[in-house]
């Protein structure tokens, strides 16, 4: 999509970004860090304003996004690359321990492009490496899912799980309802209340509008290729986004 930076400047005010950042700090420290050893090399595709990559603890952190404004939101120690998730040639094959993306796939123009992203991430991951994603769930938010101008690809936790499996990943965890759909939620967002929410999965069943998938690249994948490799192309059409 053209004018990506302008769209996100319209969507996210300074106040909204500050509130999101507080929520993401809690999400990283009290949920996502459990999947990421501190010694990990972490790649975030569609890093947005860097709420995840800034707050997660890792030995090396790499961010990729199409929005040039993303770089200004990151400290110098985070390696930033301006580019598409369908073409991660700046990242060496089998060099990443954990890849993460959030609120990204719904912005892609087609399932074919999503296949390309999954294939490219597969290439960068070490055997046994993880791809963790959090996405709005069309099943539970069928109306609000389309309230954003750049939402294109319809996905539920089940259809996204199928895409990962088709790409050769082993899906080890699916949380169909996790956090609310967006930071515009009326639920309290004070960090202490977010911590309490994360400790009460029963509440997720009522308020969760996003899903989480944790997928693993097998340690023994035969010829070292993803099943999607024969369809791989570096079209550069992948769009980036963020919660």
């Amino acid at each position: 999509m053209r004018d990506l930076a302008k769209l996100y400047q319209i969507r996210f005010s300074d106040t909204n970004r500050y509130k999101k950042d507080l929520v993401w700090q809690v999400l990283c420290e009290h949920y996502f860090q459990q999947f990421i050893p501190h010694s990990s090399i972490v790649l975030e595709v569609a890093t947005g304003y860097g709420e995840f990559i800034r707050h997660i603890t890792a030995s090396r952190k790499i961010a990729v996004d199409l929005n040039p404004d993303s770089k200004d939101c990151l400290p110098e120690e985070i390696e930033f690359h301006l580019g598409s998730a369908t073409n991660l040639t700046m990242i060496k094959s089998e060099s990443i321990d954990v890849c993460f993306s959030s609120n990204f796939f719904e912005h892609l123009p087609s399932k074919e492009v999503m296949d390309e992203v999954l294939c490219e991430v597969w290439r960068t991951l070490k055997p046994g490496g993880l791809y963790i994603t959090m996405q709005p769930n069309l099943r539970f938010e069928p109306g609000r899912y389309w309230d954003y101008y750049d939402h294109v690809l319809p996905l539920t936790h089940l259809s996204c799980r199928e895409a990962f499996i088709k790409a050769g990943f082993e899906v080890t965890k699916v949380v169909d309802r996790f956090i609310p759909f967006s930071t515009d939620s009326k639920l309290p967002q004070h960090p202490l209340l977010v911590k309490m929410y994360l400790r009460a999965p029963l509440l997720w069943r009522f308020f969760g509008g996003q899903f989480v998938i944790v997928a693993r690249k097998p340690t023994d994948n035969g010829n070292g290729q993803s099943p999607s490799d024969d369809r791989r192309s570096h079209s550069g059409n992948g769009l980036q986004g963020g919660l």
Side-chain angles (χ1 to χ4, degrees), residues 159-178:
S159 59
C160 193
R161 176 180 179 271
E162 281 194 341
F164 271 87
I165 294 173
K166 184 168 74 72
F169 288 91
E170 297 174 350
V171 175
T172 62
K173 188 178 186 68
V174 177
V175 181
D176 61 342
R177 304 192 75 157
F178 182 45

Side-chain angles (χ1 to χ4, degrees), residues 26 53 78 99 130 135 203 207 214:
V26 176
I53 201 70
I78 297 177
C99 180
L130 299 180
Q135 290 286 135
L203 294 177
F207 300 108
V214 180

Side-chain angles (χ1 to χ4, degrees), residues 9-158:
Q9 288 167 3
I10 294 170
R11 182 172 300 167
F12 301 119
S13 66
D14 289 343
T15 300
N16 182 271
R17 286 171 56 184
Y18 175 73
K19 290 167 57 179
K20 286 173 69 229
D21 198 65
L22 293 178
V23 171
W24 270 104
Q25 183 173 2
V26 176
L27 290 177
C28 288
E29 294 177 359
H30 295 274
Y31 188 77
F32 290 115
Q33 193 70 64
Q34 67 179 303
F35 304 107
I36 305 173
H38 291 183
S39 59
S40 299
I41 299 174
V42 175
L43 166 67
E44 183 179 20
V45 294
T47 195
Y49 292 116
E51 292 92 352
F52 168 83
I53 201 70
R54 283 188 284 104
H55 293 301
I56 207 69
T57 300
S59 65
R60 181 184 174 196
K61 298 191 282 189
I62 307 169
V64 176
D65 202 285
L66 281 179
N67 186 351
D69 288 351
S70 293
K71 183 177 182 179
D72 296 333
C73 301
L74 304 176
E76 291 183 0
E77 62 267 22
I78 297 177
E79 179 182 329
F80 176 75
H81 296 277
L82 182 66
S84 169
T86 60
N87 187 359
L88 299 173
T89 52
M90 72 291 287
I91 310 296
K92 293 182 180 179
S93 297
E94 298 190 351
S95 64
I96 301 297
D97 294 299
V98 180
C99 180
F100 181 86
S101 62
S102 168
N103 291 247
F104 168 44
F105 294 140
E106 72 272 20
H107 302 284
L108 298 176
S110 69
K111 293 179 179 178
E112 289 76 16
V113 172
M114 181 172 171
D115 288 341
E116 293 174 20
V117 172
L118 292 175
C119 181
E120 190 66 341
V121 169
W122 167 286
R123 180 189 62 77
T124 69
L125 285 174
K126 298 176 182 177
L130 299 180
Y131 189 175
I132 305 169
T133 188
M134 185 174 77
Q135 290 286 135
N137 197 333
L138 181 62
R139 171 173 289 195
F140 301 115
E141 296 286 354
R144 287 197 292 174
Y145 194 93
W146 301 114
D147 286 345
Y148 295 87
Y149 185 62
D150 53 345
H151 282 199
V152 178
L153 191 62
L155 290 169
T156 70
H157 62 291
L158 294 177

